[in-house]
Amino acid sequence: MSEPTGDRVLVTGALGQIGTELVEALRAKHGDAAVIASDIRTVEGHPCVSKGPFAILDVTDTASVSRLCRDEGVTTIYHLAALLSATGEKNPELCRSVNVGGTVAVLKAAKACGCRVFVPSSIAVFGPDAPKHAPQNAPLNPTTVYGETKVEGEALGLEYWTLHGVDVRGLRYPGLVSYKAPAGGGTTDYAVEIFHAAVGSKHYQCFVRPDTKLPMMYMDDAIRATLMVMDAPATSLGSSRTGYNIDGFSFTAEELAAAIAQEVEGFSCDYVPDVRQTYADSWPDSVDGSIAKKEWGWSPAYDLHAMTRAMLNGLSD
Ligand code: NAD
Ligand code: SER
């Protein structure tokens, strides 16, 4: 473990797909005791709960968020608590309340306590009118409620930065692929579930069409990008600071199944699209991450085949 950095870090929604790995990385960087993992629920034996401080925290409870930040002397908040697209579209009211209400609660606490904040955005900020290779400054007209909450999160972050001087940063994560925690109710979950099926029954029924192509990223790259943007000097960040496009790689569902079949003999996949196809169809195929590259040096390390091998190795251990 590295020397403690003096930062006191709060992670909301820490038991989810990203939090499970981000808390581990932050504790390696700042020291176990300096990183408070929090979530609305707990999971017995989860490393975020057992290996360092953990708090039950509902991000829609503004007073509790502020109290925890003040009492614990928090200096930096990684705000991961949210409902993802598939869950969010089933319950739009709750999605708005958690994703927008929770972000406002975190930003208010950050303003009061002088914290820096990381708030993730998503490729879901784009709608069908964005170019299929989406530039940083493409129009943001999402057709999902989830996407609307992400556009609002970026705008709120900019408002707190320009009007109140709160140092808010964010990334438009692509669909994230990882094996340490289950995917949390998103449209891109098929790219995670397929690996669990590959090492289990060797068959996967995919809920999007074979030709569905989306921007994706392996979790190691996503965690690295998160730490990089938070470490970047404030002077290098421009007006995209709360929602940088970051490129990973893109593949169709069929290309993913083929990459797995190359490694797993007898693996097969069939396709029965459901409502999540509509959300996937409204998002771009790929994103242009050149502004993230220019302003803070972003460059992905994983491609489809490196990710496939890492996922299969991770799930087989
Ligand atoms: P996840 O669903 O796996 O985890 C979210 C966590 O938030 C869960 O543990 C849940 O219990 C918690 N939570 C829900 N409501 C809460 C509340 N009211 N208070 C406190 N905690 C609450 O999600 P994730 O994949 O880890 O995503 C984290 C963030 O990254 C979200 O903002 C999401 O929109 C964004 N993002 C994720 C992806 C991806 O592919 N995973 C892609 C783009 C953006
Ligand atoms: N991966 C996320 C989802 O599918 C996109 O933000 O909901």
Side-chain angles (χ1 to χ4, degrees), residues 16 49 75 88 95 123 132 162 193 218 262 273:
V49 178
T75 57
C95 182
I123 52 155
K132 278 297 169 192
T162 49
E193 292 173 2
Y218 186 53
Q262 270 181 22

Side-chain angles (χ1 to χ4, degrees), residues 12-19 38-41 57-60 79-84 98-99 120-123 146 150 171-177 182-185 188-189 219:
T12 71
L15 301 188
Q17 188 192 4
I18 301 175
S38 73
D39 205 291
I40 197 169
R41 63 194 169 104
L57 181 67
D58 177 351
V59 293
T60 63
H79 173 46
L80 305 182
L83 262 56
L84 270 66
V98 176
N99 295 14
S121 187
S122 164
I123 52 155
Y146 171 74
K150 290 291 159 186
L171 303 173
R172 291 174 180 159
Y173 288 131
L176 299 181
V177 181
T188 56
D189 289 12
M219 186 63 83

Side-chain angles (χ1 to χ4, degrees), residues 163-187:
L163 296 186
H164 307 299
V166 179
D167 185 350
V168 188
R169 305 177 183 201
L171 303 173
R172 291 174 180 159
Y173 288 131
L176 299 181
V177 181
S178 68
Y179 63 86
K180 291 188 183 168
T187 299

Side-chain angles (χ1 to χ4, degrees), residues 69-112:
C69 289
R70 190 189 58 231
D71 293 354
E72 294 289 341
V74 169
T75 57
T76 308
I77 307 171
Y78 290 81
H79 173 46
L80 305 182
L83 262 56
L84 270 66
S85 58
T87 315
E89 300 312 295
K90 281 188 205 149
N91 195 341
E93 213 171 305
L94 184 65
C95 182
R96 285 201 180 91
S97 160
V98 176
N99 295 14
V100 180
T103 299
V104 170
V106 163
L107 292 172
K108 278 186 177 163
K111 181 180 167 216

